mmCIF file of all heavy atoms in Angstrom:
data_model
loop_
_atom_site.group_PDB
_atom_site.id
_atom_site.type_symbol
_atom_site.label_atom_id
_atom_site.label_comp_id
_atom_site.label_asym_id
_atom_site.label_seq_id
_atom_site.Cartn_x
_atom_site.Cartn_y
_atom_site.Cartn_z
ATOM 1 N N GLU A 71 2.771 -7.927 24.477
ATOM 2 C CA GLU A 71 2.146 -8.319 25.619
ATOM 3 C C GLU A 71 2.072 -7.240 26.662
ATOM 4 O O GLU A 71 2.705 -6.154 26.446
ATOM 5 C CB GLU A 71 2.841 -9.510 26.381
ATOM 6 C CG GLU A 71 2.805 -10.764 25.372
ATOM 7 C CD GLU A 71 3.500 -11.995 25.912
ATOM 8 O OE1 GLU A 71 4.651 -11.975 26.083
ATOM 9 O OE2 GLU A 71 2.711 -12.754 26.471
ATOM 10 N N SER A 72 1.435 -7.309 27.731
ATOM 11 C CA SER A 72 1.348 -6.246 28.741
ATOM 12 C C SER A 72 2.665 -5.777 29.199
ATOM 13 O O SER A 72 3.500 -6.586 29.475
ATOM 14 C CB SER A 72 0.464 -6.624 29.869
ATOM 15 O OG SER A 72 0.849 -7.849 30.478
ATOM 16 N N GLY A 170 -23.684 1.746 11.622
ATOM 17 C CA GLY A 170 -24.469 0.743 11.845
ATOM 18 C C GLY A 170 -25.363 0.622 12.937
ATOM 19 O O GLY A 170 -25.710 -0.421 13.454
ATOM 20 N N ARG A 192 -19.172 1.350 18.965
ATOM 21 C CA ARG A 192 -19.357 1.878 17.718
ATOM 22 C C ARG A 192 -19.594 3.485 17.823
ATOM 23 O O ARG A 192 -19.112 4.319 16.995
ATOM 24 C CB ARG A 192 -20.738 1.396 16.973
ATOM 25 C CG ARG A 192 -20.427 -0.030 16.581
ATOM 26 C CD ARG A 192 -21.746 -0.494 15.894
ATOM 27 N NE ARG A 192 -21.744 -1.953 15.566
ATOM 28 C CZ ARG A 192 -21.743 -2.533 14.342
ATOM 29 N NH1 ARG A 192 -21.958 -1.659 13.260
ATOM 30 N NH2 ARG A 192 -21.691 -3.725 14.140
ATOM 31 N N ASP A 216 -17.111 -9.095 23.301
ATOM 32 C CA ASP A 216 -17.237 -10.486 22.948
ATOM 33 C C ASP A 216 -16.690 -10.758 21.539
ATOM 34 O O ASP A 216 -16.729 -9.830 20.725
ATOM 35 C CB ASP A 216 -18.602 -10.936 22.955
ATOM 36 C CG ASP A 216 -18.995 -11.079 24.479
ATOM 37 O OD1 ASP A 216 -18.210 -11.634 25.293
ATOM 38 O OD2 ASP A 216 -20.189 -10.740 24.813
ATOM 39 N N THR A 218 -17.868 -12.255 18.888
ATOM 40 C CA THR A 218 -18.723 -11.848 17.663
ATOM 41 C C THR A 218 -18.776 -10.401 17.533
ATOM 42 O O THR A 218 -18.936 -9.905 16.326
ATOM 43 C CB THR A 218 -20.113 -12.561 17.769
ATOM 44 O OG1 THR A 218 -20.754 -12.086 19.090
ATOM 45 C CG2 THR A 218 -20.050 -14.035 17.852
ATOM 46 N N GLN A 220 -16.456 -8.286 18.426
ATOM 47 C CA GLN A 220 -15.145 -7.959 18.048
ATOM 48 C C GLN A 220 -15.100 -7.930 16.601
ATOM 49 O O GLN A 220 -14.607 -7.013 15.848
ATOM 50 C CB GLN A 220 -14.183 -8.806 18.610
ATOM 51 C CG GLN A 220 -12.879 -8.861 17.902
ATOM 52 C CD GLN A 220 -11.728 -9.565 18.698
ATOM 53 O OE1 GLN A 220 -11.224 -9.105 19.651
ATOM 54 N NE2 GLN A 220 -11.384 -10.777 18.299
ATOM 55 N N GLU A 221 -15.609 -9.062 16.021
ATOM 56 C CA GLU A 221 -15.656 -9.172 14.591
ATOM 57 C C GLU A 221 -16.353 -8.055 13.823
ATOM 58 O O GLU A 221 -15.842 -7.411 12.861
ATOM 59 C CB GLU A 221 -16.134 -10.581 14.062
ATOM 60 C CG GLU A 221 -15.856 -10.901 12.751
ATOM 61 C CD GLU A 221 -16.663 -12.104 12.156
ATOM 62 O OE1 GLU A 221 -17.660 -12.362 12.717
ATOM 63 O OE2 GLU A 221 -16.040 -12.723 11.161
ATOM 64 N N GLU A 250 -5.411 -10.654 10.928
ATOM 65 C CA GLU A 250 -6.474 -10.548 10.105
ATOM 66 C C GLU A 250 -6.918 -9.191 9.577
ATOM 67 O O GLU A 250 -7.627 -8.971 8.698
ATOM 68 C CB GLU A 250 -7.735 -11.171 10.676
ATOM 69 C CG GLU A 250 -7.554 -12.680 10.851
ATOM 70 C CD GLU A 250 -8.942 -13.310 11.374
ATOM 71 O OE1 GLU A 250 -9.801 -12.681 11.767
ATOM 72 O OE2 GLU A 250 -8.989 -14.503 11.207
ATOM 73 N N ASP A 253 -2.173 -4.376 7.434
ATOM 74 C CA ASP A 253 -1.265 -4.464 6.302
ATOM 75 C C ASP A 253 0.005 -4.824 6.809
ATOM 76 O O ASP A 253 0.774 -5.655 6.356
ATOM 77 C CB ASP A 253 -1.324 -3.204 5.464
ATOM 78 C CG ASP A 253 -2.566 -2.847 5.085
ATOM 79 O OD1 ASP A 253 -3.268 -3.628 4.470
ATOM 80 O OD2 ASP A 253 -3.090 -1.584 5.315
ATOM 81 N N ARG A 297 0.513 -30.163 23.257
ATOM 82 C CA ARG A 297 1.128 -29.351 24.116
ATOM 83 C C ARG A 297 1.434 -28.135 23.267
ATOM 84 O O ARG A 297 1.733 -28.150 22.129
ATOM 85 C CB ARG A 297 2.438 -29.851 24.670
ATOM 86 C CG ARG A 297 2.215 -30.934 25.664
ATOM 87 C CD ARG A 297 3.466 -31.388 26.221
ATOM 88 N NE ARG A 297 3.963 -30.405 27.298
ATOM 89 C CZ ARG A 297 3.501 -30.156 28.428
ATOM 90 N NH1 ARG A 297 2.504 -30.966 28.901
ATOM 91 N NH2 ARG A 297 4.025 -29.309 29.287
ATOM 92 N N LEU A 298 1.214 -26.859 24.000
ATOM 93 C CA LEU A 298 1.677 -25.734 23.379
ATOM 94 C C LEU A 298 3.136 -25.512 23.562
ATOM 95 O O LEU A 298 3.734 -26.210 24.352
ATOM 96 C CB LEU A 298 0.992 -24.563 24.038
ATOM 97 C CG LEU A 298 -0.570 -24.636 23.935
ATOM 98 C CD1 LEU A 298 -1.170 -23.676 24.878
ATOM 99 C CD2 LEU A 298 -0.921 -24.305 22.416
ATOM 100 N N ILE A 301 6.614 -19.504 25.796
ATOM 101 C CA ILE A 301 7.972 -18.884 25.901
ATOM 102 C C ILE A 301 8.242 -19.040 27.421
ATOM 103 O O ILE A 301 7.445 -18.772 28.220
ATOM 104 C CB ILE A 301 7.836 -17.435 25.581
ATOM 105 C CG1 ILE A 301 7.241 -17.195 24.089
ATOM 106 C CG2 ILE A 301 9.208 -16.610 25.719
ATOM 107 C CD1 ILE A 301 6.982 -15.731 23.814
ATOM 108 N N GLY A 303 9.842 -18.640 31.112
ATOM 109 C CA GLY A 303 10.239 -17.522 31.982
ATOM 110 C C GLY A 303 9.235 -16.305 31.980
ATOM 111 O O GLY A 303 8.046 -16.544 31.534
ATOM 112 N N GLN A 304 9.711 -15.262 32.527
ATOM 113 C CA GLN A 304 8.855 -14.092 32.600
ATOM 114 C C GLN A 304 9.355 -12.856 31.734
ATOM 115 O O GLN A 304 10.576 -12.901 31.533
ATOM 116 C CB GLN A 304 8.775 -13.549 34.037
ATOM 117 C CG GLN A 304 8.363 -14.502 34.998
ATOM 118 C CD GLN A 304 6.934 -14.722 35.168
ATOM 119 O OE1 GLN A 304 6.140 -13.666 34.896
ATOM 120 N NE2 GLN A 304 6.453 -15.890 35.582
ATOM 121 N N GLU B 109 -20.423 -16.092 25.494
ATOM 122 C CA GLU B 109 -19.990 -14.702 25.515
ATOM 123 C C GLU B 109 -20.429 -14.211 26.934
ATOM 124 O O GLU B 109 -21.101 -14.832 27.789
ATOM 125 C CB GLU B 109 -20.492 -13.912 24.530
ATOM 126 C CG GLU B 109 -20.064 -14.499 23.076
ATOM 127 C CD GLU B 109 -20.527 -13.645 22.023
ATOM 128 O OE1 GLU B 109 -21.673 -13.768 21.659
ATOM 129 O OE2 GLU B 109 -19.735 -12.981 21.364
ATOM 130 N N SER B 110 -20.092 -12.949 27.267
ATOM 131 C CA SER B 110 -20.525 -12.438 28.568
ATOM 132 C C SER B 110 -21.981 -12.440 28.635
ATOM 133 O O SER B 110 -22.739 -12.122 27.729
ATOM 134 C CB SER B 110 -19.881 -10.953 28.671
ATOM 135 O OG SER B 110 -20.180 -10.252 27.545
ATOM 136 N N SER B 216 3.962 -11.962 39.839
ATOM 137 C CA SER B 216 3.449 -11.509 38.601
ATOM 138 C C SER B 216 2.084 -12.323 38.522
ATOM 139 O O SER B 216 1.731 -13.228 39.236
ATOM 140 C CB SER B 216 4.326 -12.031 37.457
ATOM 141 O OG SER B 216 4.328 -13.407 37.315
ATOM 142 N N ASP B 246 -1.035 -12.850 29.696
ATOM 143 C CA ASP B 246 -0.472 -12.682 28.452
ATOM 144 C C ASP B 246 -0.304 -14.129 27.693
ATOM 145 O O ASP B 246 -0.183 -15.063 28.399
ATOM 146 C CB ASP B 246 0.864 -12.075 28.484
ATOM 147 C CG ASP B 246 0.748 -10.504 28.712
ATOM 148 O OD1 ASP B 246 -0.107 -10.063 27.940
ATOM 149 O OD2 ASP B 246 1.550 -10.025 29.420
ATOM 150 N N SER B 248 2.045 -15.707 26.200
ATOM 151 C CA SER B 248 3.173 -16.676 26.485
ATOM 152 C C SER B 248 2.936 -17.296 27.925
ATOM 153 O O SER B 248 3.371 -18.492 28.141
ATOM 154 C CB SER B 248 4.500 -15.826 26.354
ATOM 155 O OG SER B 248 4.572 -14.929 27.416
ATOM 156 N N GLN B 252 1.996 -21.383 29.336
ATOM 157 C CA GLN B 252 2.653 -22.049 30.339
ATOM 158 C C GLN B 252 1.468 -22.679 31.358
ATOM 159 O O GLN B 252 1.668 -23.903 31.821
ATOM 160 C CB GLN B 252 3.526 -21.126 31.151
ATOM 161 C CG GLN B 252 4.766 -20.621 30.528
ATOM 162 C CD GLN B 252 5.490 -19.566 31.330
ATOM 163 O OE1 GLN B 252 5.135 -19.242 32.498
ATOM 164 N NE2 GLN B 252 6.395 -19.031 30.735
ATOM 165 N N ASN B 255 -0.412 -25.674 29.596
ATOM 166 C CA ASN B 255 0.483 -26.926 29.738
ATOM 167 C C ASN B 255 0.485 -27.549 31.115
ATOM 168 O O ASN B 255 0.414 -28.735 31.395
ATOM 169 C CB ASN B 255 1.834 -26.643 29.265
ATOM 170 C CG ASN B 255 2.007 -26.646 27.736
ATOM 171 O OD1 ASN B 255 1.151 -26.970 27.029
ATOM 172 N ND2 ASN B 255 3.130 -26.185 27.208
ATOM 173 N N ASP B 259 -0.669 -31.237 32.477
ATOM 174 C CA ASP B 259 0.215 -32.097 33.223
ATOM 175 C C ASP B 259 -0.514 -32.612 34.412
ATOM 176 O O ASP B 259 -0.478 -33.683 34.922
ATOM 177 C CB ASP B 259 1.524 -31.360 33.685
ATOM 178 C CG ASP B 259 2.394 -31.100 32.617
ATOM 179 O OD1 ASP B 259 2.169 -31.728 31.301
ATOM 180 O OD2 ASP B 259 3.287 -30.313 32.644
ATOM 181 N N PRO B 319 -10.377 -14.758 15.660
ATOM 182 C CA PRO B 319 -9.403 -14.335 14.862
ATOM 183 C C PRO B 319 -8.336 -15.478 14.783
ATOM 184 O O PRO B 319 -7.989 -15.831 15.771
ATOM 185 C CB PRO B 319 -8.898 -12.988 15.519
ATOM 186 C CG PRO B 319 -9.640 -12.717 16.614
ATOM 187 C CD PRO B 319 -10.495 -14.016 16.937
ATOM 188 N N GLN B 320 -7.719 -15.593 13.546
ATOM 189 C CA GLN B 320 -6.684 -16.609 13.402
ATOM 190 C C GLN B 320 -5.488 -16.001 12.890
ATOM 191 O O GLN B 320 -5.521 -14.950 12.286
ATOM 192 C CB GLN B 320 -7.238 -17.652 12.409
ATOM 193 C CG GLN B 320 -8.450 -18.217 12.862
ATOM 194 C CD GLN B 320 -8.832 -19.615 12.458
ATOM 195 O OE1 GLN B 320 -7.757 -20.385 12.468
ATOM 196 N NE2 GLN B 320 -9.952 -19.895 11.949
ATOM 197 N N LYS B 325 -4.835 -10.764 5.036
ATOM 198 C CA LYS B 325 -5.901 -9.902 5.493
ATOM 199 C C LYS B 325 -7.269 -10.432 5.218
ATOM 200 O O LYS B 325 -7.496 -10.904 4.144
ATOM 201 C CB LYS B 325 -5.593 -8.543 5.059
ATOM 202 C CG LYS B 325 -6.407 -7.450 5.631
ATOM 203 C CD LYS B 325 -5.867 -6.046 5.235
ATOM 204 C CE LYS B 325 -6.782 -4.847 5.599
ATOM 205 N NZ LYS B 325 -6.232 -3.672 5.262
ATOM 206 N N ARG B 326 -8.115 -10.373 6.219
ATOM 207 C CA ARG B 326 -9.432 -10.962 6.014
ATOM 208 C C ARG B 326 -10.433 -9.873 5.549
ATOM 209 O O ARG B 326 -10.484 -8.767 6.153
ATOM 210 C CB ARG B 326 -9.905 -11.570 7.208
ATOM 211 C CG ARG B 326 -11.079 -12.476 7.009
ATOM 212 C CD ARG B 326 -11.165 -13.507 8.174
ATOM 213 N NE ARG B 326 -12.451 -13.405 8.914
ATOM 214 C CZ ARG B 326 -12.643 -13.983 10.016
ATOM 215 N NH1 ARG B 326 -11.737 -14.636 10.644
ATOM 216 N NH2 ARG B 326 -13.871 -13.903 10.580
ATOM 217 N N ARG B 328 -14.170 -8.730 5.944
ATOM 218 C CA ARG B 328 -15.374 -9.203 6.665
ATOM 219 C C ARG B 328 -16.462 -8.234 6.208
ATOM 220 O O ARG B 328 -16.258 -7.093 6.062
ATOM 221 C CB ARG B 328 -15.128 -8.801 8.147
ATOM 222 C CG ARG B 328 -13.947 -9.633 8.730
ATOM 223 C CD ARG B 328 -13.978 -9.221 10.305
ATOM 224 N NE ARG B 328 -12.847 -9.697 11.011
ATOM 225 C CZ ARG B 328 -11.652 -9.280 11.106
ATOM 226 N NH1 ARG B 328 -11.400 -8.089 10.378
ATOM 227 N NH2 ARG B 328 -10.611 -9.868 11.677
ATOM 228 N N GLN B 331 -21.678 -5.360 9.391
ATOM 229 C CA GLN B 331 -23.149 -5.626 9.812
ATOM 230 C C GLN B 331 -23.535 -4.366 10.665
ATOM 231 O O GLN B 331 -22.926 -3.565 11.221
ATOM 232 C CB GLN B 331 -23.103 -6.800 10.599
ATOM 233 C CG GLN B 331 -22.554 -8.004 10.072
ATOM 234 C CD GLN B 331 -22.280 -9.039 11.088
ATOM 235 O OE1 GLN B 331 -23.004 -9.142 12.019
ATOM 236 N NE2 GLN B 331 -21.249 -10.050 10.725
ATOM 237 N N ALA B 333 -25.281 -2.956 14.015
ATOM 238 C CA ALA B 333 -25.075 -3.302 15.445
ATOM 239 C C ALA B 333 -26.261 -4.253 16.089
ATOM 240 O O ALA B 333 -27.344 -4.119 15.628
ATOM 241 C CB ALA B 333 -25.026 -2.012 16.296
ATOM 242 N N ARG B 349 -30.497 -12.620 16.373
ATOM 243 C CA ARG B 349 -29.195 -12.419 15.796
ATOM 244 C C ARG B 349 -28.989 -13.583 14.686
ATOM 245 O O ARG B 349 -28.033 -13.632 14.147
ATOM 246 C CB ARG B 349 -28.003 -12.509 16.785
ATOM 247 C CG ARG B 349 -28.150 -11.388 17.730
ATOM 248 C CD ARG B 349 -26.911 -11.577 18.818
ATOM 249 N NE ARG B 349 -25.561 -11.496 18.303
ATOM 250 C CZ ARG B 349 -24.499 -11.817 18.834
ATOM 251 N NH1 ARG B 349 -24.584 -12.346 20.027
ATOM 252 N NH2 ARG B 349 -23.366 -11.656 18.273
#
Side-chain angles (χ1 to χ4, degrees):
Chain A
E71 297 181 286
S72 45
R192 287 182 188 242
D216 285 321
T218 55
Q220 161 170 288
E221 193 188 26
E250 287 192 343
D253 306 308
R297 290 185 75 76
L298 299 166
I301 303 173
Q304 306 275 335
Chain B
E109 297 181 291
S110 49
S216 69
D246 278 322
S248 67
Q252 294 175 4
N255 279 350
D259 293 344
Q320 307 210 35
K325 194 166 164 175
R326 189 160 127 192
R328 305 179 180 88
Q331 302 164 29
R349 296 178 67 190

